[in-house]
């Protein structure tokens, strides 16, 4: 089963959007298997956003993601990376479609509320950065047959 890392970024926490964002993902039918609130330190921020090191927005991004607590989660489903990216919307909320988290809740690329891994490979890397294996729960949902055939 595929897993993905989702972060409600500091702006989402500060704006009281944690419930709204979790709710949208829950309603999709995907399965929550890990969740915690945490403050990201410089080292974790650099590792998580390593692919963007050297870009003009990198320092601002690291400062932002370490500025205040965030909520980290792991969601599970077949093709969950693609499903979550669709529900999040495009990186820049200005261009994100209405009906998506970013398209409904944001206006600025540097305050786009949510992170979701961009491929199954990055998901594996990011899940391991944020969570220990023991923090990820394995459980059955009775309604699974009503969500996927
Ligand atoms: P995504 O978060 O959709 O995967 P990304 O990986 O390209 O987008 O970039 C990571 C974050 O960096 C993004 O959520 C917001 C910020 N960012 C990206 N491009 C930016 C830009 N041109 N100016 C300012 N911030 C940017
Ligand atoms: Mg990305």
């Amino acid at each position: 089963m595929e897993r993905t890392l989702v972060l409600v970024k500091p702006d989402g926490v500060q704006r009281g959007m944690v419930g709204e964002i979790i709710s949208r993902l829950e309603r999709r039918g995907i399965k929550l298997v890990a969740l915690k609130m945490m403050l990201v330190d410089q080292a974790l921020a650099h590792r998580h956003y390593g692919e963007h090191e050297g870009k003009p927005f990198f320092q601002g991004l690291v400062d932002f993601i370490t500025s205040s607590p965030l909520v980290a989660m792991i969601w599970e489903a077949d093709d969950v990376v693609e499903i979550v990216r669709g529900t999040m919307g495009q990186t820049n909320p200005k261009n994100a479609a209405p009906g998506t988290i970013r398209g409904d809740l944001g206006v600025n690329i540097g305050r786009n509320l949510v992170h979701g891994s961009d491929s199954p490979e990055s998901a594996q890397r990011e899940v391991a950065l944020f969570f220990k294996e023991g923090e990820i729960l394995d459980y059955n949902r009775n309604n699974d047959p009503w969500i996927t055939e």
Side-chain angles (χ1 to χ4, degrees):
M1 189 67 72
E2 194 170 285
R3 287 174 176 168
T4 195
L5 178 79
V6 175
L7 305 175
V8 178
K9 295 182 183 181
D11 54 335
V13 175
Q14 290 283 343
R15 291 179 56 199
M17 298 292 179
V18 174
E20 169 77 31
I21 290 167
I22 292 177
S23 192
R24 285 168 180 244
L25 297 170
E26 275 188 311
R27 268 151 47 197
R28 206 69 213 265
I30 60 177
K31 184 177 176 185
L32 182 61
V33 295
L35 178 148
K36 64 183 169 189
M37 194 174 201
M38 61 190 285
L39 195 57
V40 169
D41 64 18
Q42 290 282 323
L44 178 56
H46 276 77
R47 291 178 75 188
H48 176 62
Y49 281 128
E51 63 173 308
H52 299 300
E53 218 153 345
K55 296 183 187 170
F57 59 86
F58 181 71
Q59 193 55 50
L61 180 60
V62 168
D63 289 346
F64 164 61
I65 210 75
T66 58
S67 64
S68 182
L70 55 67
V71 172
M73 296 172 274
I74 302 172
W75 291 82
E76 205 176 81
D78 286 332
D79 301 320
V80 71
V81 166
E82 194 185 339
I83 290 166
V84 168
R85 295 285 294 190
T87 293
M88 280 169 36
Q90 286 192 20
T91 302
N92 192 337
K94 205 168 61 178
N95 309 322
T100 65
I101 292 168
R102 287 163 166 173
D104 286 347
L105 307 178
V107 289
N108 183 276
I109 193 165
R111 299 288 184 269
N112 63 5
L113 294 135
V114 70
H115 168 86
S117 310
D118 66 7
S119 68
E121 295 70 35
S122 359
Q124 275 199 350
R125 187 183 71 84
E126 293 173 0
V127 159
L129 273 181
F130 279 80
F131 288 91
K132 301 184 197 98
E133 200 50 49
E135 295 176 312
I136 308 172
L137 282 296
D138 184 19
Y139 64 99
N140 291 319
R141 289 191 310 184
N142 288 336
N143 61 351
D144 271 343
W146 300 101
I147 297 169
T148 49
E149 64 174 357

